[in-house]
């Protein structure tokens, strides 16, 4: 590759702000969970919540980590695209676990997931999938257009 060639950039320009918004959402939820006084307790208890979302130390760490990673991924287009796919896979798994955990309530459940969390995680997985697919298709179309213009 010579210095005059332009490297293709994966992902459209709107992807980075979308990933930053998702990262901020989860970072705010994770930090708010740590500020809740009842956070240190473990087990299934519906009264421990931030707004309608359940609160446990493990879930707060996950939400905070997802938020920080989202903000870091938003600094680069390729990172944003990868983050979308990680969101899809990770939150699809969390949704599957959450559905089983809420269907079979276990008093020793360390994560304390409720139905609001299941909806949040499921919608996040869908958002990651849709953003990832649309961004990847946009990037491949742009690369094809650049390749067609060089010929």
């Amino acid at each position: 590759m010579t210095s005059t060639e332009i490297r293709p950039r994966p992902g459209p320009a709107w992807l980075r702000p979308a990933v930053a918004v998702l990262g901020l959402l989860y970072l705010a939820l994770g930090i708010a969970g740590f500020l809740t006084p009842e956070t240190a307790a473990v087990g299934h208890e519906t009264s421990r919540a931030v707004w309608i979302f359940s609160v446990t130390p493990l879930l707060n760490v996950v939400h905070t980590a997802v938020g920080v990673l989202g903000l870091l991924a938003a600094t680069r287009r390729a990172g944003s695209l990868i983050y979308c796919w990680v969101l899809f896979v990770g939150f699809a798994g969390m949704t599957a676990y959450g559905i089983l955990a809420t269907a079979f309530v276990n008093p020793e459940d360390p994560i304390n997931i409720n139905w609001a969390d299941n909806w949040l995680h499921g919608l996040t997985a869908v958002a990651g999938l849709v953003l990832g697919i649309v961004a990847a298709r946009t990037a491949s179309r742009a690369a094809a257009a650049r390749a067609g213009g060089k010929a």
Side-chain angles (χ1 to χ4, degrees):
M1 180 179 263
T2 65
S3 61
T4 59
E5 290 182 34
I6 298 173
R7 271 191 267 168
R9 296 187 191 176
W14 53 262
L15 183 63
R16 291 173 54 200
V19 165
V21 167
L22 284 171
L24 282 173
L25 171 80
Y26 275 99
L27 184 62
L29 187 59
I31 290 172
F34 282 121
L35 298 177
T36 303
E38 302 91 15
T39 299
V42 176
H44 191 76
E45 178 60 45
T46 57
S47 66
R48 291 191 320 259
V50 170
W51 190 42
I52 59 172
F53 304 110
S54 64
V55 174
T56 61
L58 181 58
L59 199 54
N60 293 339
V61 167
V62 169
H63 286 166
T64 304
V66 166
V68 169
L69 289 175
L71 292 177
L72 290 174
T75 61
R76 300 202 176 222
R77 288 185 184 182
S80 296
L81 188 58
I82 293 168
Y83 181 76
C84 289
W85 294 111
V86 170
L87 274 184
F88 168 63
V89 172
F91 280 106
M94 284 184 70
T95 303
Y97 171 80
I99 289 171
L100 291 174
T102 52
F104 306 106
V105 176
N106 183 2
E108 291 85 33
D109 181 21
I111 301 179
N112 190 33
I113 289 183
N114 61 20
W115 283 108
D117 289 312
N118 289 338
W119 278 103
L120 175 68
H121 297 159
L123 290 174
T124 303
V126 169
L129 177 65
V130 169
L131 288 173
I133 289 172
V134 171
R137 291 184 77 189
T138 303
S140 67
R141 284 183 186 154
R146 280 192 303 270
K150 289 182 182 177

